[in-house]
Amino acid sequence: MKYADVKRAGARTKSLMFATASLVLAVATTGCGSECVDVYDCRSENGPAPAGQEWTCASEKCETRPIQQVPGEDAGTDPESDAGTNPEPDAGTEPDAGTETDAGTEYTCETAPYDPVLGTLQLQAGFETAGSAPMPDDVLAVAVTPGPTYAVYAVQGDTSADVYSLGIWPDLTPSSSPLFNVLAPEDRGATSGIFPNRFLVHGAERLLAGYTKSGGAGTVSLYDVVTPGNSSYVNSPGNMSAAAFTSGTTSAFLINSTGLSAINGFGIYALVTSSDPMASVKVADFPQTAGGNGFSAVANNGVSVFGFAVPPDYTNVAYAVAPSVVSAALSSNTPFALDAQPQIDVGSDFNAASAFGDGVVVKRGAYDATWQFVTTDVSRYSLSADATPGQVVIGERTPVLSFVDQCTSVTQLTHLGSDLLVGIEDVNGERLVRIRAVP
């Protein structure tokens, strides 16, 4: 069984997840003749296993086997199973969530073993950790400046939210004084109906955050790092996510929302910060099937990923967009049709996304019957573009982190240079962990 610990996910958080809808990315094909990469693929493809059975992924094939129980550990003996007891899980499969560690003791988050950095998360082949640092409480989103010196910023708060400096990675020294109030002056002091969003983006010496209000209104907040007095607020109803885009002399924040300034409608909007004054441009149109906004990311090579949610269950879809397509929309002031771009195959829902080198990483899983998101893995998709003008090649799914339980949560995904910065929370507190591909 999965243990879905609810980490400050109140009714507001859950309603926002579905009202605005998270982006979905998915499993790409696992190779010729392959059926699965992990147990979740078997469940997704074949449904629940028969009573008393469980799915396993052995040699890239889905198989069922009787549900096994791990034998108890005798006091003072070697913790490995005695000869003749139940066999170990097949290579490549996840340990069975819900098995027992001690005779008569159910596997729980209290009895689970925790790595001091990754907790109960399992780092997959091809990746390694490259340092960690404590993270303050109540962080909604994190952003990092380009290197080689990485300044880390965060949005903290709930109904009232502020941007704070967390210091220089990895020796973080969080400031006790905020740099900037995410809320526009007319919205400050409200005790309800204000919903700061879980994104913070750095681009062209500015930080972009956002919030929405009851009824769908919203604002994006632009903090000028160099000249704070030039900071501003821009109308953006339904803003859900954003990413920074640069091409030549053009710099812009790409905002997944239902409008920007005086332009309206589901889509992707650019707040062009390289123009004077700043300009608002609609970059992409969503199809009529779109029922909610999703997540956004821009890889290091400029390939964008944009998504939206599709009713009635608000499952999300995602599309990869070549940088030349975005640049053409910006220069011509003519939006492209998002659903005409290469679609990333969908195998499960997910509720977070970030650039990770020349690719995108997503936090996959599904909502359970109580509307809590149960995470299965964090996976990466490589993205390459413009070998054929306007086209994107989408790589296969590569797991980065797998979940054997829900005792350790991933609360943040952002990028630090070409690496991934992951927010992790469990009984050992909250921390940021840097993960990179093994050279």
Side-chain angles (χ1 to χ4, degrees):
M1 64 187 291
K2 298 278 189 185
Y3 291 87
D5 280 5
V6 181
K7 307 278 187 186
R8 297 193 302 276
R12 180 187 73 81
T13 302
K14 292 181 285 183
S15 64
L16 281 176
M17 287 176 181
F18 273 84
T20 54
S22 314
L23 172 67
V24 171
L25 282 178
V27 184
T29 46
T30 57
C32 181
S34 302
E35 292 181 359
C36 57
V37 172
D38 54 27
V39 174
Y40 190 80
D41 292 340
C42 298
R43 295 175 189 150
S44 177
E45 180 68 23
N46 301 291
Q53 302 284 309
E54 62 187 356
W55 287 112
T56 67
C57 179
S59 300
E60 299 183 334
K61 299 290 185 183
C62 292
E63 301 173 354
T64 60
R65 67 179 181 186
I67 294 176
Q68 302 176 13
Q69 298 293 319
V70 176
E73 299 174 10
D74 297 327
T77 62
D78 189 281
E80 295 184 352
S81 303
D82 295 331
T85 59
N86 294 326
E88 296 179 358
D90 294 333
T93 62
E94 299 177 1
D96 300 329
T99 56
E100 297 177 351
T101 54
D102 297 308
T105 302
E106 185 181 12
Y107 181 98
T108 68
C109 293
E110 286 71 30
T111 62
Y114 290 87
D115 178 85
V117 175
L118 293 176
T120 63
L121 303 178
Q122 302 295 311
L123 188 65
Q124 300 301 292
F127 301 95
E128 63 185 6
T129 59
S132 64
M135 181 170 64
D137 294 336
D138 300 321
V139 169
L140 296 178
V142 173
V144 184
T145 62
T149 299
Y150 298 108
V152 184
Y153 297 91
V155 173
Q156 292 178 256
D158 194 357
T159 301
S160 178
D162 297 281
V163 174
Y164 286 83
S165 169
L166 298 187
I168 304 299
W169 179 267
D171 301 317
L172 301 185
T173 53
S175 172
S176 59
S177 300
L179 297 172
F180 181 63
N181 194 323
V182 173
L183 305 186
E186 63 270 21
D187 293 324
R188 297 170 193 170
T191 58
S192 63
I194 301 290
F195 311 115
N197 289 322
R198 292 181 175 271
F199 69 83
L200 181 64
V201 183
H202 181 274
E205 300 299 334
R206 294 176 174 87
L207 291 165
L208 185 83
Y211 65 98
T212 53
K213 300 188 288 185
S214 297
T219 299
V220 289
S221 315
L222 196 63
Y223 175 66
D224 191 314
V225 176
V226 176
T227 311
N230 290 338
S231 302
S232 58
Y233 302 88
V234 182
N235 175 60
S236 181
N239 64 86
M240 173 69 180
S241 62
F245 178 84
T246 300
S247 178
T249 59
T250 301
S251 297
F253 289 106
L254 303 178
I255 304 166
N256 198 320
S257 68
T258 60
L260 185 67
S261 299
I263 318 170
N264 293 297
F266 273 128
I268 304 298
Y269 294 84
L271 183 61
V272 184
T273 56
S274 55
S275 65
D276 188 13
M278 288 187 295
S280 297
V281 178
K282 190 172 189 182
V283 172
D285 287 320
F286 289 174
Q288 292 184 353
T289 54
N293 294 94
F295 287 109
S296 310
V298 176
N300 281 17
N301 58 6
V303 178
S304 300
V305 172
F306 304 123
F308 55 85
V310 180
D313 57 359
Y314 290 89
T315 298
N316 294 272
V317 293
Y319 296 82
V321 185
S324 60
V325 174
V326 175
S327 294
L330 285 169
S331 61
S332 67
N333 201 16
T334 303
F336 58 85
L338 184 58
D339 60 344
Q341 305 305 309
Q343 184 173 358
I344 301 175
D345 190 22
V346 174
S348 73
D349 203 353
F350 87 94
N351 70 345
S354 172
F356 185 1
D358 290 341
V360 65
V361 67
V362 297
K363 185 161 78 82
R364 304 196 317 147
Y367 289 94
D368 64 16
T370 62
W371 310 118
Q372 303 304 318
F373 196 83
V374 179
T375 306
T376 58
D377 58 84
V378 173
S379 290
R380 182 181 182 272
Y381 301 80
S382 64
L383 303 169
S384 57
D386 287 340
T388 300
Q391 296 299 307
V392 176
V393 177
I394 303 168
E396 297 183 354
R397 181 174 75 88
T398 304
V400 179
L401 293 167
S402 66
F403 285 61
V404 298
D405 51 41
Q406 300 294 298
C407 301
T408 297
S409 300
V410 168
T411 62
Q412 306 288 334
L413 289 177
T414 192
H415 61 97
L416 189 153
S418 60
D419 298 338
L420 180 67
L421 196 61
V422 182
I424 291 176
E425 180 180 7
D426 56 23
V427 295
N428 293 322
E430 298 185 56
R431 53 206 178 271
L432 290 168
V433 178
R434 184 180 186 177
I435 295 175
R436 64 188 178 197
V438 175

